[in-house]
């Protein structure tokens, strides 16, 4: 099913390999221009900068960034729907929105040029995963107000791949399409990739029956163990892609062949990591909250936007040759961190323990509650078909082993319940992993 020779280079854009000096120079120019533009066009920013005693002329270098105030998700909600747009509405050619687990949705907008840049950064991500114009890119992220579907779509068309806009759902049909159309690159959430792998097996097929080579998975946290599981079951190499609608959508950062973190497209978004409690900027290598400043966006250029995602940055040289700063896989969001009897834990840390034991399937649900004024955590994990036929005694032994491992690794006491195969709801978009009965929310 080849489409002839590839015409794309290893990198999509020259900006991916600029020297640090060239990058900082470019960022400084774009930053000062953006700060002036938001000051002149967005009353919210004018007021914030005035209150902080900052004039656009004060911002000349990347180092001046820390003088600027932060922008929070609540600011987008307070200015709902279009209050933070920096361009007349006639120039806005696309709207997306993100719902979030709680609260009013946030609305984001794009000019024609913003969409062009989005296509470009999404193209960089696909190229880094090995895709080119000979590929068939099967997009199973949701199309609609969610940025996943259309974000990867514009990247796939930019690299002149054959784009297959399947969107989510109808999982068996997705497998049939992969077989018939020859899909070679799969784009979806990691949890949906796993569901597709499971459906493939249920249909009596193996990875050899489809043509997939690579996957570009993101929109939710996923562990290295989950990557290996997906790679094994689909017979592909699985790459991470990160983004958020407030900043652009998928493609803000992406993984290369080294698979050791995601390169941030810092010619468009300046990244900082801060202490989430004090707001202080942390040095490279220290874990904290990721903050982005858009330096080329026209419709919605956010300044020092607090993502709530927890990561670390590194500028160590990468074997792929890209010089773009790298972020580690986000382990979760500050607001998704569970506090169980005073111990902080992210759902992804529990996933890591479960999968590294090789004792459980990758389908789990965390149920948090409060009984007699004490937090409780129940970890429900699905058994594989083999385990399900084991004697009750053996199942109990396994539950005890998992409980002991979670306690010794993470320091939390949890009840572990092995549940029947296929009893945990499969996700088609972002997986729901936690039911917090204390707050009556699921995320
Ligand atoms: O999830 C955009 C996206 C679509 C990214 C497709 C990648 C692929 P939102 O719905 O606004 O946008 O959600 C953004 O999702 O702040 C993170 O908490 C989380 N997230 C996104 N990508 C990753 C990832 C899209 N690779 C929020 N790893 C972000 C961990 C991720 N978390």
């Amino acid at each position: 099913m080849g489409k002839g020779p590839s015409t794309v280079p290893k990198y999509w854009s020259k900006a991916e390999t600029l020297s640090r000096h060239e990058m900082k120079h470019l960022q400084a120019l774009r930053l000062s221009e953006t700060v002036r533009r938001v000051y002149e066009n967005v009353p919210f920013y004018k007021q914030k900068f005035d209150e902080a005693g900052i004039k656009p002329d004060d911002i000349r270098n990347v180092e001046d960034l820390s003088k600027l105030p932060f922008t929070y998700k609540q600011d987008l909600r307070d200015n709902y729907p279009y209050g933070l747009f920096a361009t007349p509405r006639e120039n806005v050619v696309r709207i997306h929105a993100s719902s979030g687990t709680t609260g009013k949705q946030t609305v984001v907008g794009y000019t024609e040029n913003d969409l062009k840049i989005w296509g470009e950064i999404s193209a960089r991500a696909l190229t880094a995963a090995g895709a080119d114009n000979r590929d068939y890119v099967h997009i199973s992220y949701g199309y609609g107000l969610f940025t996943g579907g259309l974000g990867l779509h514009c990247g796939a068309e930019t690299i002149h791949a054959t784009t297959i806009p399947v969107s989510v759902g109808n999982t068996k049909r997705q497998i049939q399409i992969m077989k018939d159309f020859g899909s070679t690159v799969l784009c979806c959430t990691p949890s949906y990739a796993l569901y597709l792998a499971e459906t493939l097996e249920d249909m009596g097929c193996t990875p050899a029956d489809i043509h997939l080579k690579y996957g570009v998975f993101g929109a939710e946290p996923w562990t290295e163990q989950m990557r290996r599981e997906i790679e094994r079951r689909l017979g592909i190499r699985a790459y991470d892609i990160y983004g958020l609608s407030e900043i652009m959508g998928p493609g803000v950062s992406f993984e290369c062949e080294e698979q050791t973190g995601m390169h941030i497209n810092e010619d468009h978004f300046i990244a900082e990591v801060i202490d989430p409690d004090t707001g202080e900027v942390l040095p490279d290598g220290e874990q904290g909250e990721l903050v982005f400043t858009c330096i080329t966006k026209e419709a919605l250029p956010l300044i020092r936007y607090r993502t709530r995602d927890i990561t670390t940055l590194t500028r160590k040289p990468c074997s792929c040759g890209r010089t773009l700063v790298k972020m580690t896989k986000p382990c979760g969001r500050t607001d998704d961190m569970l506090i169980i009897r005073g111990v902080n834990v992210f759902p992804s840390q529990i996933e890591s323990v479960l999968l590294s034991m090789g004792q459980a399937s990758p389908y789990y649900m965390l149920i948090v509650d409060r009984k007699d004024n004490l937090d409780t955590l129940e970890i429900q994990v699905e058994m594989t078909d083999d385990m399900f036929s084991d004697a009750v005694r053996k199942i109990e032994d396994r539950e005890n082993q998992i409980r002991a491992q979670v306690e010794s690794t993470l320091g939390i006491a949890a009840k572990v319940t092995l549940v029947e195969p296929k009893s945990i709801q499969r996700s088609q978009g972002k997986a729901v992993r936690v039911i917090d009965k204390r707050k009556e929310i699921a995320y």
Side-chain angles (χ1 to χ4, degrees), residues 73 77 100-102 246 276 289 305-310 332-339 345-347 434 436 438-439 441 443:
K73 194 172 186 95
R77 293 199 173 121
T101 9
T102 48
E246 294 87 335
E289 180 180 344
Y305 183 69
R306 302 274 301 248
T307 65
R308 305 190 218 182
D309 292 319
I310 301 295
R333 299 168 59 82
T334 47
D335 39 1
D336 290 350
M337 189 176 71
L338 301 170
I339 305 179
V345 63
F346 285 105
V434 181
D436 195 334
R438 301 172 303 185
K439 302 180 196 153
I441 53 168
Y443 54 90

Side-chain angles (χ1 to χ4, degrees), residues 283-317:
D284 286 356
E286 277 191 35
Q287 191 179 62
E289 180 180 344
L290 188 58
V291 170
F292 280 115
T293 299
C294 304
I295 51 171
T296 51
K297 277 275 278 303
E298 291 177 343
L300 184 64
L302 296 181
I303 305 293
R304 301 195 87 202
Y305 183 69
R306 302 274 301 248
T307 65
R308 305 190 218 182
D309 292 319
I310 301 295
T311 189
T312 58
L313 297 179
T314 170
R315 288 183 172 81
K316 286 198 195 112

Side-chain angles (χ1 to χ4, degrees), residues 4 19 38 51 66 109 207 230 257 269 293 300 314 352 385 410 440:
S19 70
V38 298
E51 278 165 11
S66 58
I230 294 171
E257 70 236 23
F269 321 106
T293 299
L300 184 64
T314 170
S352 188
D385 287 329
L410 303 174
E440 293 189 0

Side-chain angles (χ1 to χ4, degrees), residues 141 146-148 218-221 240-245 250 309 330 333 430:
Y141 286 112
F146 175 55
T147 52
E220 61 186 9
D240 204 350
I241 182 168
Y242 167 90
L244 62 166
S245 35
D309 292 319
R333 299 168 59 82
K430 294 181 193 249

